[in-house]
Amino acid sequence: TAHGTVQTVAKETFLKPYKLGIASEKDHVEAISSALAAFGESLRESIKESDDFGDPVTADLFTQLARSVDQQIWFIESHLPQKSAA
């Protein structure tokens, strides 16, 4: 049985809760980037577990997802102000 309700997901997620009251663009971008990075890390762990189980097809699926998440992080972080080289 799939238990994909909002309540179950909120209870079981490894992601940190999104802070209410964030007002600045920079804080939103950092919060989203951080959540995606945590998800990307979990995908990398899943790649290793799939390899350990001898399931290269599943490992490849997780690899494709990780690649996509990395790209999304790059797109999102491009909205952060650039630090000046001093």
Side-chain angles (χ1 to χ4, degrees):
T1 303
H3 299 280
T5 65
V6 172
Q7 294 84 356
T8 302
V9 172
K11 180 180 160 189
E12 300 294 327
T13 187
F14 59 88
L15 298 174
K16 295 177 185 174
Y18 198 88
K19 292 181 183 177
L20 300 176
I22 293 177
S24 77
E25 175 186 351
K26 179 181 177 284
D27 290 343
H28 279 295
V29 170
E30 287 174 350
I32 294 168
S33 176
S34 177
L36 279 172
F39 179 56
E41 182 61 33
S42 74
L43 288 169
R44 285 174 180 73
E45 291 170 11
S46 297
I47 293 166
K48 183 179 179 335
E49 286 182 28
S50 299
D51 279 337
D52 291 347
F53 283 121
D55 189 348
V57 175
T58 301
D60 184 56
L61 291 172
F62 285 130
T63 300
Q64 290 176 42
L65 288 169
R67 198 175 292 129
S68 178
V69 167
D70 287 346
Q71 183 182 38
Q72 291 299 316
I73 292 170
W74 186 84
F75 287 146
I76 289 167
E77 288 182 348
S78 72
H79 293 280
L80 289 171
Q82 299 298 313
K83 295 179 184 176
S84 60

